[in-house]
Amino acid sequence: MYGPGVKVGNWLETALSEEMRMSDMKKRRESGNLLLDKTRAVYDRFHQGTVLGPPQDVLAFGVVVQIRPVKIGVCRQQVSDQNLVLSVVITQEGLHRDCKTINEMCDLTVAPSPRPALRNSFRIVSPNEDDRTGQYLAYGEKFRLQALEPADEPMYVFSGPKRLNLSLPVDKAFFTTKNGEITLPLGLVSHKNCGPSARVPTSHTHFFCAHKDPDLRFESEGKTIPVHNPLVIVHAVTNRNLAVENVLANTLFGPEFQVSVQTYKNVYKRETWKNLWKFTY
């Protein structure tokens, strides 16, 4: 049996340990280092409002746009009611590493967008280092999609073919499949890690738009792209289309639709709703 002194000692040790834990938690709370505070700060940052445009009738380099799926075939409500757009979402790994803004560890999804924000707005930029702000974008012309933050370290949407060991070019927490094969995922790459001798070739960030009607693609190439018109966004290197999948991913912002680079066609050799998008202001 324990003596009275030992009981008192155990009680004092427990009380001191609890007091130290509470003191440490109070300090972390005051400095904003609690996981709850970090999550709230990241959520507010990613949902910070932004301004689209400048609006015009056709797409141009340098403008800030949102990219919307024309239709989601698994929802009872209309897409316009849900206001779904291509969005950036932070991962748990990024949150634990104290990432406070958009970075390479972020994933891309299709998520509800009550209003334009940092996570769901992208800038159309030149496929190279040339400044082509104000010039019109045409069907078949390559471009890059740049996240709005960070301003001093541009982040571009990218994908790529499988490597020689059949591993995927993007490390993601969740994937989708087509006929049992994993689809090519989308990711973000920093400007400093993109180039001839870098981790990701510049060409892997290149996309171009194609007319939604295959019979009109040849004659529409080189023509300007009207805003709000349904179209197909093609990844230049893999020649596969940007796709919204009918699979939900549980993210830190809630359940959101996954995206990939995969072509989906019906029996008439036309792209299905998964590959149809539109640019909006």
Side-chain angles (χ1 to χ4, degrees):
M1 295 180 63
Y2 292 103
V6 176
K7 290 183 179 179
V8 173
N10 289 342
W11 179 83
L12 286 175
E13 183 179 353
T14 303
L16 289 175
S17 177
E18 182 68 17
E19 184 179 350
M20 291 177 61
R21 189 180 70 84
M22 294 299 295
S23 176
D24 180 64
M25 183 178 295
K26 185 177 180 181
K27 290 180 181 179
R28 292 166 63 89
R29 179 61 184 272
E30 292 174 352
S31 60
N33 289 327
L34 285 178
L35 183 59
L36 178 62
D37 296 330
K38 292 180 182 179
T39 305
R40 185 181 292 111
V42 169
Y43 185 89
D44 293 340
R45 184 60 180 169
F46 273 56
H47 284 88
Q48 180 179 332
T50 186
V51 179
L52 301 177
Q56 44 193 318
D57 295 332
V58 294
L59 290 178
F61 289 99
V63 299
V64 179
V65 296
Q66 289 187 312
I67 306 171
R68 303 175 182 272
V70 175
K71 177 183 178 183
I72 297 291
V74 296
C75 298
R76 296 180 180 178
Q77 301 93 345
Q78 296 294 325
V79 175
S80 57
D81 298 334
Q82 301 178 27
N83 209 22
L84 297 173
V85 295
L86 184 68
S87 304
V88 179
V89 58
I90 193 169
T91 60
Q92 290 187 358
E93 180 183 2
L95 189 63
H96 286 295
R97 292 192 179 185
D98 293 337
C99 297
K100 297 179 175 60
T101 186
I102 298 174
N103 58 81
E104 290 186 341
M105 287 184 288
C106 292
D107 286 332
L108 285 107
T109 60
V110 166
S113 170
R115 56 186 176 83
L118 288 179
R119 71 176 295 235
N120 54 44
S121 303
F122 298 88
R123 180 176 284 107
I124 300 176
V125 297
S126 168
N128 47 43
E129 302 304 322
D130 297 338
D131 184 7
R132 301 181 59 185
T133 301
Q135 299 182 24
Y136 292 147
L137 178 67
Y139 283 112
E141 188 174 12
K142 295 178 182 178
F143 64 91
R144 291 188 288 183
L145 292 173
Q146 178 186 337
L148 297 188
E149 281 203 349
D152 58 343
E153 187 180 343
M155 294 284 171
Y156 302 110
V157 179
F158 86 103
S159 185
K162 293 182 179 179
R163 303 186 180 102
L164 294 178
N165 59 358
L166 298 183
S167 63
L168 295 174
V170 184
D171 296 326
K172 292 191 63 175
F174 36 79
F175 302 94
T176 58
T177 60
K178 178 186 179 183
N179 300 329
E181 182 180 1
I182 297 179
T183 57
L184 297 178
L186 280 174
L188 291 176
V189 62
S190 171
H191 180 270
K192 65 181 181 182
N193 293 327
C194 182
S197 59
R199 178 173 59 88
V200 176
T202 305
S203 58
H204 287 191
T205 63
H206 292 173
F207 294 84
F208 65 88
C209 295
H211 199 281
K212 69 172 184 176
D213 189 347
D215 298 332
L216 299 177
R217 284 178 188 167
F218 179 77
E219 62 186 67
S220 63
E221 189 166 339
K223 295 182 179 179
T224 56
I225 305 173
V227 180
H228 299 286
N229 271 24
L231 47 76
V232 176
I233 302 176
V234 187
H235 185 245
V237 170
T238 61
N239 201 33
R240 297 186 183 185
N241 303 334
L242 179 65
V244 54
E245 302 283 352
N246 57 346
V247 180
L248 290 176
N250 291 319
T251 71
L252 294 175
F253 298 124
E256 299 176 353
F257 287 99
Q258 299 188 42
V259 292
S260 67
V261 174
Q262 184 65 53
T263 300
Y264 292 94
K265 293 186 178 181
N266 56 24
V267 294
Y268 304 105
K269 303 299 181 181
R270 295 175 180 270
E271 282 78 8
T272 66
W273 59 268
K274 293 184 177 182
N275 288 143
L276 296 180
W277 303 80
K278 61 181 179 180
F279 292 88
T280 61
Y281 291 120

